[in-house]
Coordinates of all heavy atoms in Angstrom, one line a residue:
M1 N -29.3 -23.4 -34.8 CA -28.0 -22.6 -34.7 C -27.0 -23.3 -33.6 O -27.5 -23.9 -32.7 CB -28.3 -21.3 -34.0 CG -27.5 -20.1 -34.5 SD -26.1 -19.9 -33.4 CE -26.9 -18.9 -32.1
Q2 N -25.9 -23.2 -33.8 CA -24.8 -23.9 -32.9 C -23.6 -22.9 -32.8 O -23.0 -22.4 -33.7 CB -24.5 -25.2 -33.6 CG -23.4 -25.9 -33.1 CD -22.9 -27.1 -34.0 OE1 -23.6 -28.1 -33.9 NE2 -21.9 -26.9 -34.8
I3 N -23.1 -22.9 -31.6 CA -21.8 -22.4 -31.3 C -20.9 -23.5 -31.0 O -21.1 -24.2 -30.2 CB -21.8 -21.4 -30.1 CG1 -22.8 -20.2 -30.3 CG2 -20.4 -20.8 -29.9 CD1 -22.4 -19.1 -31.4
A4 N -19.7 -23.5 -31.7 CA -18.8 -24.6 -31.5 C -17.4 -24.0 -30.9 O -17.1 -23.0 -31.3 CB -18.4 -25.5 -32.7
W5 N -16.8 -24.8 -30.1 CA -15.5 -24.4 -29.5 C -14.5 -25.5 -29.8 O -14.8 -26.7 -29.6 CB -15.6 -24.2 -28.0 CG -14.4 -23.7 -27.3 CD1 -13.8 -22.5 -27.4 CD2 -13.7 -24.6 -26.3 NE1 -12.7 -22.5 -26.6 CE2 -12.6 -23.7 -25.9 CE3 -13.9 -25.8 -25.8 CZ2 -11.7 -24.2 -25.0 CZ3 -12.9 -26.2 -24.8 CH2 -11.8 -25.4 -24.5
Y6 N -13.4 -25.3 -30.5 CA -12.4 -26.2 -30.8 C -11.2 -25.7 -30.1 O -10.7 -24.6 -30.2 CB -12.1 -26.2 -32.3 CG -13.3 -26.5 -33.2 CD1 -14.2 -25.5 -33.5 CD2 -13.6 -27.8 -33.4 CE1 -15.2 -25.8 -34.3 CE2 -14.7 -28.2 -34.3 CZ -15.6 -27.1 -34.6 OH -16.7 -27.4 -35.4
D7 N -10.5 -26.6 -29.3 CA -9.4 -26.3 -28.5 C -8.2 -27.1 -28.8 O -8.4 -28.5 -28.7 CB -9.7 -26.3 -27.0 CG -8.6 -25.8 -26.1 OD1 -8.1 -24.7 -26.2 OD2 -8.3 -26.7 -25.2
A8 N -7.0 -26.6 -28.9 CA -5.7 -27.5 -29.2 C -5.5 -28.5 -28.0 O -5.1 -29.6 -28.3 CB -4.6 -26.7 -29.4
D9 N -5.8 -28.0 -26.8 CA -5.4 -28.9 -25.6 C -6.5 -30.1 -25.5 O -6.2 -31.0 -24.7 CB -5.5 -28.1 -24.4 CG -4.3 -27.1 -24.4 OD1 -3.3 -27.3 -25.1 OD2 -4.3 -26.1 -23.5
H10 N -7.5 -30.0 -26.2 CA -8.5 -31.0 -26.1 C -8.7 -31.7 -27.5 O -9.8 -32.4 -27.8 CB -9.9 -30.4 -25.6 CG -9.9 -29.9 -24.3 ND1 -9.4 -28.6 -24.0 CD2 -10.0 -30.5 -23.1 CE1 -9.4 -28.4 -22.7 NE2 -9.7 -29.5 -22.1
G11 N -7.6 -31.6 -28.4 CA -7.7 -32.3 -29.6 C -8.9 -31.8 -30.6 O -9.4 -32.6 -31.3
G12 N -9.2 -30.5 -30.5 CA -10.4 -30.1 -31.2 C -10.3 -30.3 -32.8 O -9.3 -29.9 -33.3
H13 N -11.3 -30.9 -33.2 CA -11.4 -31.1 -34.8 C -12.7 -31.6 -35.0 O -13.5 -31.9 -34.2 CB -10.3 -32.1 -35.3 CG -10.5 -33.4 -35.0 ND1 -10.4 -33.9 -33.6 CD2 -10.9 -34.5 -35.8 CE1 -10.7 -35.3 -33.7 NE2 -11.0 -35.6 -34.9
F14 N -13.1 -31.8 -36.3 CA -14.3 -32.3 -36.7 C -14.1 -33.0 -38.0 O -13.7 -32.4 -39.0 CB -15.3 -31.1 -36.9 CG -16.8 -31.5 -36.8 CD1 -17.7 -30.7 -36.5 CD2 -17.2 -32.8 -37.2 CE1 -19.1 -30.9 -36.4 CE2 -18.6 -33.2 -37.2 CZ -19.6 -32.2 -36.8
D15 N -14.2 -34.3 -38.1 CA -13.8 -35.1 -39.2 C -14.7 -34.9 -40.4 O -15.8 -34.4 -40.2 CB -13.6 -36.6 -38.8 CG -12.4 -37.2 -39.6 OD1 -11.8 -36.6 -40.5 OD2 -12.0 -38.3 -39.2
W16 N -14.3 -35.4 -41.6 CA -15.2 -35.3 -42.8 C -16.6 -35.7 -42.5 O -16.8 -36.8 -42.0 CB -14.5 -36.0 -44.0 CG -13.3 -35.4 -44.5 CD1 -12.0 -35.9 -44.4 CD2 -13.2 -34.2 -45.3 NE1 -11.1 -35.2 -45.0 CE2 -11.8 -34.0 -45.6 CE3 -14.0 -33.2 -45.7 CZ2 -11.2 -33.0 -46.3 CZ3 -13.6 -32.2 -46.5 CH2 -12.2 -32.1 -46.8
H17 N -17.6 -34.9 -43.0 CA -19.0 -35.2 -42.8 C -19.8 -34.4 -43.8 O -19.3 -33.3 -44.2 CB -19.4 -35.1 -41.4 CG -19.4 -33.6 -40.9 ND1 -18.2 -32.9 -40.6 CD2 -20.4 -32.7 -40.7 CE1 -18.6 -31.7 -40.2 NE2 -20.0 -31.6 -40.3
V18 N -21.0 -34.7 -43.9 CA -22.0 -33.9 -44.4 C -23.0 -33.5 -43.3 O -23.2 -34.2 -42.4 CB -22.7 -34.5 -45.7 CG1 -21.8 -34.7 -46.8 CG2 -23.5 -35.7 -45.3
D19 N -23.8 -32.4 -43.6 CA -24.7 -32.0 -42.5 C -26.1 -32.5 -42.6 O -27.0 -32.3 -41.7 CB -24.8 -30.4 -42.4 CG -23.5 -29.8 -41.8 OD1 -22.7 -30.6 -41.2 OD2 -23.4 -28.6 -41.9
I20 N -26.4 -33.3 -43.7 CA -27.6 -33.9 -43.9 C -27.6 -35.2 -43.2 O -26.8 -36.0 -43.5 CB -28.0 -34.0 -45.4 CG1 -28.1 -32.6 -45.9 CG2 -29.3 -34.7 -45.5 CD1 -28.4 -32.6 -47.5
G21 N -28.6 -35.5 -42.4 CA -28.6 -36.8 -41.6 C -30.1 -37.4 -41.6 O -31.0 -36.9 -42.4
D22 N -30.3 -38.4 -40.7 CA -31.5 -39.0 -40.7 C -32.5 -38.4 -39.7 O -33.6 -38.7 -39.7 CB -31.3 -40.5 -40.3 CG -30.7 -41.3 -41.4 OD1 -30.8 -40.9 -42.6 OD2 -30.0 -42.2 -41.2
G23 N -32.0 -37.5 -38.9 CA -32.8 -36.9 -37.8 C -33.9 -36.0 -38.4 O -33.9 -35.7 -39.5
Q24 N -34.8 -35.8 -37.5 CA -36.0 -34.9 -37.9 C -35.7 -33.7 -38.5 O -36.3 -33.1 -39.5 CB -36.8 -34.7 -36.6 CG -38.1 -34.1 -36.7 CD -38.7 -33.7 -35.3 OE1 -38.2 -34.1 -34.2 NE2 -39.8 -33.0 -35.3
F25 N -34.6 -33.0 -37.9 CA -34.1 -31.6 -38.5 C -33.1 -31.8 -39.5 O -33.1 -31.1 -40.6 CB -33.7 -30.8 -37.3 CG -34.8 -30.6 -36.3 CD1 -34.7 -31.1 -35.0 CD2 -35.8 -29.8 -36.6 CE1 -35.7 -30.9 -34.2 CE2 -36.9 -29.5 -35.7 CZ -36.8 -30.1 -34.5
A26 N -32.2 -32.7 -39.3 CA -31.0 -32.8 -40.3 C -31.3 -33.3 -41.6 O -30.8 -32.9 -42.5 CB -30.0 -33.9 -39.6
I27 N -32.5 -34.0 -41.8 CA -33.0 -34.5 -43.0 C -33.6 -33.3 -43.9 O -33.6 -33.3 -45.1 CB -34.1 -35.6 -42.9 CG1 -34.1 -36.4 -44.1 CG2 -35.4 -35.0 -42.5 CD1 -34.9 -37.7 -44.0
R28 N -33.8 -32.2 -43.2 CA -34.4 -31.0 -43.9 C -33.4 -29.9 -44.2 O -33.7 -28.8 -44.7 CB -35.6 -30.4 -43.2 CG -36.8 -31.3 -43.1 CD -37.8 -30.9 -42.1 NE -38.2 -29.5 -42.3 CZ -38.9 -29.0 -43.1 NH1 -39.6 -29.7 -43.9 NH2 -39.3 -27.6 -43.1
R29 N -32.0 -30.2 -43.9 CA -31.0 -29.1 -44.1 C -30.7 -28.9 -45.6 O -30.6 -29.9 -46.3 CB -29.8 -29.5 -43.4 CG -29.8 -29.4 -41.8 CD -28.6 -29.9 -41.1 NE -28.9 -29.7 -39.7 CZ -28.0 -30.3 -38.9 NH1 -27.0 -31.1 -39.3 NH2 -28.1 -30.2 -37.6
K30 N -30.7 -27.7 -46.0 CA -30.4 -27.3 -47.3 C -29.0 -26.6 -47.4 O -28.3 -26.9 -48.4 CB -31.4 -26.3 -47.9 CG -33.0 -26.9 -47.9 CD -33.2 -27.6 -49.1 CE -33.6 -29.0 -48.7 NZ -34.5 -29.6 -49.7
L31 N -28.9 -25.6 -46.7 CA -27.7 -24.8 -46.7 C -27.1 -24.7 -45.3 O -27.8 -24.6 -44.3 CB -28.0 -23.3 -47.1 CG -28.7 -23.2 -48.5 CD1 -29.2 -21.7 -48.8 CD2 -27.5 -23.5 -49.5
T32 N -25.7 -24.7 -45.2 CA -25.0 -24.5 -44.0 C -24.3 -23.1 -44.0 O -23.6 -22.8 -45.1 CB -24.0 -25.6 -43.8 OG1 -24.7 -26.9 -43.8 CG2 -23.2 -25.4 -42.5
L33 N -24.4 -22.3 -43.0 CA -23.7 -21.1 -42.8 C -22.7 -21.2 -41.7 O -23.2 -21.5 -40.5 CB -24.7 -20.0 -42.7 CG -24.1 -18.6 -42.4 CD1 -23.5 -18.1 -43.7 CD2 -25.1 -17.6 -41.9
V34 N -21.4 -20.9 -42.0 CA -20.5 -20.9 -40.9 C -19.9 -19.5 -40.7 O -19.4 -19.0 -41.7 CB -19.4 -22.1 -41.1 CG1 -18.3 -21.9 -39.9 CG2 -19.9 -23.4 -41.2
V35 N -19.9 -19.0 -39.5 CA -19.3 -17.7 -39.2 C -18.1 -17.8 -38.3 O -18.2 -18.5 -37.3 CB -20.3 -16.7 -38.7 CG1 -19.7 -15.3 -38.4 CG2 -21.5 -16.6 -39.7
Q36 N -17.0 -17.3 -38.7 CA -15.7 -17.4 -37.9 C -15.9 -16.4 -36.8 O -15.9 -15.2 -36.9 CB -14.5 -17.0 -38.7 CG -14.4 -17.9 -40.1 CD -14.0 -19.2 -39.8 OE1 -13.4 -19.6 -38.7 NE2 -14.3 -20.2 -40.7
L37 N -15.9 -16.9 -35.5 CA -16.0 -16.1 -34.3 C -14.6 -15.9 -33.6 O -14.6 -15.2 -32.6 CB -16.9 -16.7 -33.4 CG -18.4 -16.9 -33.9 CD1 -19.2 -17.4 -32.7 CD2 -19.1 -15.6 -34.4
S38 N -13.6 -16.3 -34.2 CA -12.2 -16.0 -33.6 C -11.4 -15.5 -34.7 O -11.5 -15.8 -35.9 CB -11.5 -17.4 -33.2 OG -12.3 -18.0 -32.1
D39 N -10.4 -14.6 -34.4 CA -9.4 -14.1 -35.3 C -8.5 -15.1 -35.8 O -7.9 -15.9 -35.0 CB -8.7 -13.0 -34.5 CG -7.6 -12.4 -35.4 OD1 -7.3 -12.8 -36.5 OD2 -7.0 -11.4 -34.9
G40 N -8.4 -15.3 -37.1 CA -7.7 -16.4 -37.7 C -6.2 -16.4 -37.3 O -5.5 -17.5 -37.3
D41 N -5.6 -15.3 -36.8 CA -4.2 -15.3 -36.4 C -4.0 -15.7 -35.0 O -3.0 -15.9 -34.5 CB -3.7 -13.8 -36.6 CG -3.5 -13.3 -37.9 OD1 -3.5 -14.2 -38.9 OD2 -3.7 -12.2 -38.2
S42 N -5.2 -15.8 -34.2 CA -5.0 -16.2 -32.8 C -5.0 -17.6 -32.6 O -4.8 -18.0 -31.4 CB -6.2 -15.5 -32.1 OG -7.4 -16.2 -32.4
Y43 N -5.1 -18.5 -33.6 CA -5.0 -19.9 -33.3 C -4.3 -20.6 -34.6 O -4.2 -19.9 -35.6 CB -6.4 -20.6 -33.2 CG -7.3 -20.3 -34.3 CD1 -7.5 -21.3 -35.3 CD2 -8.1 -19.2 -34.4 CE1 -8.2 -21.1 -36.4 CE2 -9.0 -19.0 -35.5 CZ -9.1 -20.0 -36.4 OH -9.9 -19.9 -37.4
A44 N -3.9 -21.9 -34.4 CA -3.4 -22.5 -35.5 C -4.0 -23.9 -35.7 O -4.6 -24.4 -34.8 CB -1.8 -22.7 -35.4
G45 N -4.1 -24.4 -36.9 CA -5.0 -25.4 -37.3 C -6.4 -25.0 -37.4 O -6.7 -23.7 -37.6
G46 N -7.4 -25.9 -37.1 CA -8.8 -25.5 -37.1 C -9.3 -24.9 -38.4 O -10.3 -23.9 -38.4
D47 N -8.8 -25.2 -39.5 CA -9.3 -24.8 -40.8 C -10.5 -25.5 -41.2 O -10.6 -26.7 -41.1 CB -8.3 -25.0 -41.9 CG -7.3 -23.9 -41.9 OD1 -7.6 -22.7 -42.3 OD2 -6.1 -24.2 -41.7
L48 N -11.6 -24.7 -41.6 CA -12.7 -25.4 -42.2 C -12.5 -25.6 -43.6 O -12.1 -24.7 -44.4 CB -14.0 -24.4 -42.1 CG -15.2 -24.8 -42.8 CD1 -15.8 -26.2 -42.4 CD2 -16.2 -23.7 -42.7
E49 N -12.5 -26.9 -44.1 CA -12.2 -27.3 -45.4 C -13.5 -27.9 -46.0 O -14.1 -28.7 -45.4 CB -11.1 -28.3 -45.4 CG -9.7 -27.9 -45.1 CD -8.6 -28.9 -45.2 OE1 -8.9 -30.2 -45.5 OE2 -7.4 -28.5 -45.1
L50 N -13.6 -27.5 -47.3 CA -14.8 -28.0 -48.1 C -14.3 -28.8 -49.3 O -13.3 -28.5 -49.7 CB -15.7 -26.9 -48.7 CG -16.2 -25.7 -47.7 CD1 -17.1 -24.8 -48.5 CD2 -17.0 -26.4 -46.6
N51 N -14.9 -29.9 -49.4 CA -14.6 -30.8 -50.5 C -15.8 -31.0 -51.5 O -16.4 -32.0 -51.4 CB -14.0 -32.2 -50.0 CG -13.4 -33.0 -51.2 OD1 -13.6 -32.6 -52.4 ND2 -12.9 -34.1 -50.8
A52 N -15.9 -30.0 -52.4 CA -17.0 -30.2 -53.4 C -16.7 -31.0 -54.6 O -17.6 -31.4 -55.3 CB -17.6 -28.7 -53.7
D53 N -15.4 -30.9 -55.0 CA -15.1 -31.5 -56.3 C -13.9 -32.4 -56.2 O -13.1 -32.6 -57.2 CB -14.8 -30.4 -57.2 CG -13.7 -29.4 -56.7 OD1 -13.1 -29.8 -55.7 OD2 -13.4 -28.4 -57.4
G54 N -13.5 -33.0 -54.9 CA -12.3 -33.8 -54.9 C -11.1 -33.2 -54.5 O -10.0 -33.7 -54.3
R55 N -11.1 -31.7 -54.6 CA -10.0 -30.9 -54.1 C -10.3 -30.1 -52.9 O -11.0 -29.0 -53.1 CB -9.5 -30.1 -55.3 CG -8.8 -30.8 -56.5 CD -8.6 -30.1 -57.7 NE -9.9 -29.6 -58.2 CZ -10.1 -28.9 -59.3 NH1 -9.0 -28.5 -60.0 NH2 -11.3 -28.6 -59.7
P56 N -10.0 -30.6 -51.7 CA -10.4 -29.8 -50.6 C -9.8 -28.3 -50.5 O -8.8 -28.2 -50.9 CB -9.9 -30.6 -49.4 CG -9.7 -31.9 -49.9 CD -9.4 -31.8 -51.5
K57 N -10.7 -27.4 -50.2 CA -10.3 -26.0 -50.1 C -10.5 -25.4 -48.8 O -11.6 -25.7 -48.2 CB -11.0 -25.1 -51.1 CG -10.7 -25.4 -52.5 CD -11.5 -24.5 -53.4 CE -11.3 -24.9 -54.9 NZ -11.8 -26.3 -55.3
S58 N -9.6 -24.7 -48.1 CA -10.0 -24.1 -46.9 C -10.6 -22.7 -47.0 O -10.3 -22.0 -48.0 CB -8.7 -23.9 -45.9 OG -7.6 -24.2 -46.6
V59 N -11.5 -22.4 -46.2 CA -12.2 -21.2 -46.2 C -11.5 -20.0 -45.5 O -10.6 -20.4 -44.7 CB -13.7 -21.3 -45.8 CG1 -14.3 -22.5 -46.5 CG2 -13.8 -21.4 -44.4
S60 N -12.0 -18.8 -45.7 CA -11.3 -17.7 -44.9 C -11.4 -17.8 -43.4 O -12.4 -18.4 -42.9 CB -12.1 -16.4 -45.2 OG -11.6 -15.3 -44.5
R61 N -10.3 -17.6 -42.7 CA -10.2 -17.6 -41.3 C -10.4 -16.3 -40.7 O -10.4 -16.1 -39.4 CB -8.8 -18.0 -40.9 CG -8.4 -19.4 -41.4 CD -6.8 -19.7 -41.4 NE -6.3 -19.4 -40.0 CZ -6.1 -20.4 -39.2 NH1 -6.5 -21.7 -39.6 NH2 -5.6 -20.1 -38.0
K62 N -10.7 -15.2 -41.5 CA -11.0 -13.9 -40.9 C -12.2 -13.9 -39.9 O -13.2 -14.4 -40.1 CB -11.3 -13.0 -42.1 CG -10.1 -12.3 -42.6 CD -10.7 -11.1 -43.4 CE -9.6 -10.4 -44.3 NZ -10.1 -9.5 -45.3
L63 N -12.0 -13.1 -38.8 CA -13.0 -12.9 -37.9 C -14.2 -12.3 -38.6 O -14.1 -11.4 -39.3 CB -12.4 -11.8 -36.8 CG -13.5 -11.5 -35.7 CD1 -14.0 -12.6 -35.0 CD2 -12.9 -10.4 -34.9
G64 N -15.4 -13.0 -38.5 CA -16.6 -12.4 -39.0 C -16.9 -13.1 -40.4 O -18.0 -12.8 -41.0
A65 N -15.9 -13.7 -41.1 CA -16.1 -14.3 -42.3 C -17.3 -15.4 -42.3 O -17.3 -16.1 -41.4 CB -14.8 -15.0 -42.9
A66 N -18.0 -15.3 -43.3 CA -19.2 -16.1 -43.4 C -19.0 -17.0 -44.6 O -18.7 -16.6 -45.7 CB -20.5 -15.3 -43.5
T67 N -19.2 -18.2 -44.4 CA -19.1 -19.3 -45.4 C -20.5 -20.0 -45.7 O -21.0 -20.5 -44.7 CB -18.0 -20.2 -45.3 OG1 -16.8 -19.6 -45.0 CG2 -17.9 -21.2 -46.4
L68 N -21.0 -19.9 -46.9 CA -22.4 -20.6 -47.1 C -22.2 -21.7 -48.2 O -21.5 -21.4 -49.2 CB -23.3 -19.5 -47.7 CG -24.7 -19.8 -47.9 CD1 -25.4 -20.1 -46.7 CD2 -25.4 -18.8 -48.7
F69 N -22.7 -22.9 -47.8 CA -22.5 -24.0 -48.8 C -23.7 -25.0 -48.7 O -24.3 -25.0 -47.7 CB -21.2 -24.7 -48.6 CG -20.8 -25.2 -47.2 CD1 -21.3 -26.6 -46.9 CD2 -20.3 -24.4 -46.2 CE1 -20.9 -27.0 -45.6 CE2 -20.0 -24.9 -44.9 CZ -20.5 -26.3 -44.6
P70 N -23.9 -25.8 -49.8 CA -25.0 -26.7 -49.6 C -24.7 -27.8 -48.6 O -23.5 -28.3 -48.5 CB -24.9 -27.4 -51.1 CG -24.2 -26.5 -52.0 CD -23.3 -25.8 -51.1
S71 N -25.6 -28.2 -47.8 CA -25.4 -29.0 -46.7 C -24.9 -30.3 -47.0 O -24.4 -31.1 -46.2 CB -26.6 -29.1 -45.8 OG -27.0 -27.9 -45.3
F72 N -25.0 -30.7 -48.4 CA -24.6 -32.1 -48.7 C -23.0 -32.0 -49.1 O -22.5 -33.1 -49.4 CB -25.4 -32.7 -49.9 CG -25.5 -31.8 -51.1 CD1 -24.5 -31.5 -52.0 CD2 -26.7 -31.1 -51.4 CE1 -24.6 -30.8 -53.1 CE2 -26.9 -30.4 -52.4 CZ -25.8 -30.1 -53.3
T73 N -22.4 -30.9 -49.2 CA -20.9 -30.8 -49.5 C -20.1 -31.3 -48.2 O -20.4 -31.0 -47.2 CB -20.6 -29.3 -49.6 OG1 -21.4 -28.7 -50.6 CG2 -19.1 -29.2 -50.0
P74 N -19.3 -32.3 -48.5 CA -18.4 -32.8 -47.4 C -17.5 -31.8 -46.9 O -16.9 -30.9 -47.7 CB -17.6 -33.9 -48.1 CG -18.3 -34.3 -49.4 CD -19.1 -33.0 -49.8
H75 N -17.3 -31.6 -45.6 CA -16.4 -30.7 -44.9 C -15.9 -31.2 -43.7 O -16.4 -32.2 -43.1 CB -17.1 -29.4 -44.8 CG -18.5 -29.5 -44.0 ND1 -19.7 -29.9 -44.5 CD2 -18.7 -29.1 -42.7 CE1 -20.7 -30.0 -43.6 NE2 -20.0 -29.5 -42.5
R76 N -14.8 -30.6 -43.2 CA -14.2 -30.9 -42.0 C -13.6 -29.7 -41.3 O -13.4 -28.7 -41.8 CB -13.1 -32.0 -42.1 CG -11.9 -31.5 -42.8 CD -10.8 -32.5 -42.7 NE -9.6 -32.1 -43.4 CZ -8.4 -32.7 -43.4 NH1 -8.2 -33.7 -42.6 NH2 -7.4 -32.3 -44.1
V77 N -13.2 -29.9 -40.0 CA -12.4 -28.9 -39.3 C -11.1 -29.6 -39.0 O -11.1 -30.6 -38.3 CB -13.1 -28.3 -38.0 CG1 -12.2 -27.3 -37.4 CG2 -14.3 -27.6 -38.4
T78 N -9.9 -29.1 -39.6 CA -8.7 -29.8 -39.3 C -8.3 -29.6 -37.8 O -8.8 -28.7 -37.2 CB -7.5 -29.1 -40.2 OG1 -7.3 -27.8 -39.8 CG2 -7.9 -29.2 -41.7
P79 N -7.4 -30.5 -37.4 CA -7.1 -30.5 -35.9 C -6.4 -29.2 -35.5 O -5.7 -28.5 -36.2 CB -6.1 -31.6 -35.8 CG -6.4 -32.5 -36.8 CD -6.9 -31.7 -38.0
M80 N -6.8 -28.7 -34.3 CA -6.3 -27.5 -33.7 C -4.8 -27.8 -33.3 O -4.5 -28.9 -32.7 CB -7.0 -27.1 -32.5 CG -8.5 -26.7 -32.7 SD -8.7 -25.2 -33.7 CE -7.8 -24.0 -32.8
T81 N -3.8 -26.8 -33.6 CA -2.5 -27.1 -33.1 C -2.1 -26.0 -32.1 O -1.1 -26.2 -31.4 CB -1.5 -27.1 -34.3 OG1 -1.6 -26.0 -35.0 CG2 -1.8 -28.4 -35.1
R82 N -2.7 -25.0 -32.1 CA -2.5 -23.9 -31.0 C -3.7 -23.2 -30.7 O -4.5 -22.8 -31.5 CB -1.4 -22.9 -31.6 CG -1.1 -21.6 -30.6 CD 0.0 -20.8 -31.1 NE -0.3 -20.2 -32.5 CZ -1.0 -19.1 -32.7 NH1 -1.5 -18.4 -31.7 NH2 -1.1 -18.7 -33.9
S83 N -3.9 -22.9 -29.4 CA -5.1 -22.0 -28.9 C -6.4 -22.6 -29.3 O -6.5 -23.8 -29.4 CB -4.7 -20.7 -29.4 OG -5.7 -19.8 -28.7
S84 N -7.4 -21.7 -29.5 CA -8.7 -22.3 -29.7 C -9.5 -21.3 -30.6 O -9.1 -20.2 -30.9 CB -9.5 -22.4 -28.3 OG -9.6 -21.1 -27.8
R85 N -10.5 -21.9 -31.1 CA -11.4 -21.3 -32.2 C -12.9 -21.5 -31.8 O -13.3 -22.5 -31.3 CB -11.1 -21.9 -33.5 CG -12.1 -21.6 -34.6 CD -11.8 -22.3 -35.9 NE -12.7 -22.0 -36.9 CZ -13.7 -22.9 -37.3 NH1 -14.0 -24.0 -36.6 NH2 -14.5 -22.5 -38.2
Y86 N -13.7 -20.4 -32.0 CA -15.1 -20.5 -31.9 C -15.7 -20.3 -33.3 O -15.2 -19.5 -34.1 CB -15.7 -19.3 -31.1 CG -15.4 -19.5 -29.6 CD1 -14.3 -19.0 -28.9 CD2 -16.4 -20.2 -28.8 CE1 -14.2 -19.3 -27.5 CE2 -16.3 -20.4 -27.5 CZ -15.2 -19.9 -26.8 OH -15.0 -20.1 -25.4
S87 N -16.8 -21.0 -33.5 CA -17.5 -20.7 -34.8 C -19.1 -20.9 -34.5 O -19.5 -21.4 -33.5 CB -17.1 -21.8 -35.8 OG -17.5 -23.0 -35.4
M88 N -19.7 -20.2 -35.4 CA -21.2 -20.3 -35.4 C -21.7 -21.0 -36.5 O -21.3 -20.6 -37.7 CB -21.9 -18.9 -35.2 CG -23.3 -19.0 -34.9 SD -24.3 -17.6 -35.5 CE -24.3 -18.0 -37.3
T89 N -22.5 -21.9 -36.4 CA -23.1 -22.6 -37.7 C -24.6 -22.5 -37.6 O -25.2 -22.7 -36.5 CB -22.7 -24.1 -37.6 OG1 -21.3 -24.2 -37.5 CG2 -23.2 -24.7 -38.9
A90 N -25.1 -22.1 -38.7 CA -26.7 -22.1 -38.8 C -27.1 -22.8 -40.0 O -26.3 -22.9 -41.0 CB -27.1 -20.6 -38.9
W91 N -28.2 -23.4 -40.0 CA -28.8 -24.1 -41.2 C -30.0 -23.6 -41.7 O -30.9 -23.1 -41.0 CB -28.9 -25.6 -40.7 CG -27.6 -26.4 -40.5 CD1 -26.9 -27.0 -41.4 CD2 -27.1 -26.6 -39.2 NE1 -25.7 -27.6 -40.7 CE2 -25.9 -27.3 -39.4 CE3 -27.4 -26.2 -37.8 CZ2 -25.0 -27.6 -38.3 CZ3 -26.6 -26.5 -36.8 CH2 -25.4 -27.3 -37.1
V92 N -30.2 -23.6 -43.0 CA -31.4 -23.2 -43.7 C -32.1 -24.6 -44.1 O -31.5 -25.5 -44.6 CB -31.1 -22.4 -45.0 CG1 -32.4 -22.1 -45.6 CG2 -30.4 -21.1 -44.6
H93 N -33.4 -24.6 -43.6 CA -34.1 -25.9 -43.8 C -35.1 -25.7 -45.0 O -35.5 -24.6 -45.4 CB -34.8 -26.2 -42.6 CG -34.1 -26.6 -41.4 ND1 -33.3 -25.7 -40.6 CD2 -33.5 -27.8 -41.0 CE1 -32.6 -26.4 -39.8 NE2 -32.7 -27.7 -39.9
G94 N -35.5 -26.8 -45.4 CA -36.5 -26.9 -46.6 C -37.1 -28.4 -46.6 O -36.5 -29.3 -46.0
P95 N -37.9 -28.6 -47.7 CA -38.3 -30.0 -47.9 C -37.1 -30.9 -48.2 O -36.1 -30.4 -48.8 CB -39.2 -29.8 -49.1 CG -39.6 -28.5 -49.2 CD -38.5 -27.6 -48.6
A96 N -37.2 -32.1 -47.7 CA -36.0 -32.9 -47.9 C -35.7 -33.2 -49.3 O -36.6 -33.2 -50.2 CB -36.4 -34.4 -47.2
F97 N -34.3 -33.4 -49.7 CA -34.0 -33.7 -50.9 C -34.5 -35.0 -51.4 O -34.6 -35.9 -50.6 CB -32.4 -33.8 -51.1 CG -31.7 -32.5 -51.0 CD1 -31.0 -32.1 -49.8 CD2 -31.8 -31.5 -52.0 CE1 -30.4 -30.8 -49.8 CE2 -31.2 -30.3 -51.9 CZ -30.5 -30.0 -50.8
R98 N -34.8 -35.2 -52.7 CA -35.3 -36.5 -53.1 C -34.4 -37.1 -54.2 O -33.7 -36.4 -54.8 CB -36.7 -36.4 -53.8 CG -37.7 -36.2 -52.7 CD -39.1 -36.0 -53.3 NE -39.2 -34.6 -53.9 CZ -40.2 -34.3 -54.7 NH1 -41.0 -35.3 -55.2 NH2 -40.3 -33.1 -55.2
Ligands
AKG101 O1 -17.1 -25.1 -37.0 C1 -17.0 -25.3 -38.2 O2 -16.4 -24.6 -38.9 C2 -17.9 -26.3 -38.9 C3 -19.0 -26.9 -38.0 C4 -19.7 -28.0 -38.7 O3 -19.2 -28.5 -39.6 C5 -20.9 -28.6 -38.1 O4 -21.3 -28.1 -37.0 O5 -21.5 -29.4 -38.8
FE2_102 FE1 -20.8 -29.7 -40.6

């Protein structure tokens, strides 16, 4: 589980990536769950975008909105342009993909 803080004054963003990696835990990630912990009207930028099919889509910015996706889906957080955003990310683990 992870709480992230993105702030406009500190260039908050997270470039395109997948959540599956080489690490002991990252290699076992199956599903990613992101919960919006900030009201979407209280900041600008900071959109979570998913690119499952070559057409990036932004997810809901509503406070409490939960987004679940396969951990191999490329995603990013666009640069913050005003104020700040909190999010919570949790991963569901399982046997490594083969
Ligand atoms: O904060 C978000 O919306 C996404 C976070 C994320 O992609 C990650 O921590 O891997
Ligand atoms: Fe991620």
Side-chain angles (χ1 to χ4, degrees):
M1 209 272 277
Q2 161 189 285
I3 302 288
W5 179 69
Y6 303 86
D7 182 57
D9 292 340
H10 297 85
H13 73 291
F14 198 152
D15 217 344
W16 288 109
H17 67 283
V18 296
D19 285 348
I20 297 173
D22 290 331
Q24 186 187 355
F25 300 108
I27 203 165
R28 291 168 49 82
R29 288 176 180 165
K30 301 272 125 154
L31 296 171
T32 300
L33 176 72
V34 178
V35 179
Q36 307 291 337
L37 299 184
S38 299
D39 178 349
D41 294 333
S42 70
Y43 62 90
D47 277 291
L48 171 59
E49 291 186 348
L50 303 185
N51 187 354
D53 59 3
R55 287 169 299 183
K57 290 182 191 65
S58 7
V59 311
S60 174
R61 296 164 59 92
K62 268 195 188 164
L63 176 62
T67 304
L68 184 69
F69 56 92
S71 299
F72 54 73
T73 306
H75 56 284
R76 71 166 176 171
V77 178
T78 64
M80 298 294 303
T81 53
R82 176 174 59 83
S83 191
S84 63
R85 164 183 181 260
Y86 283 93
S87 64
M88 189 208 77
T89 304
W91 291 276
V92 177
H93 293 82
F97 287 110
R98 287 179 280 163

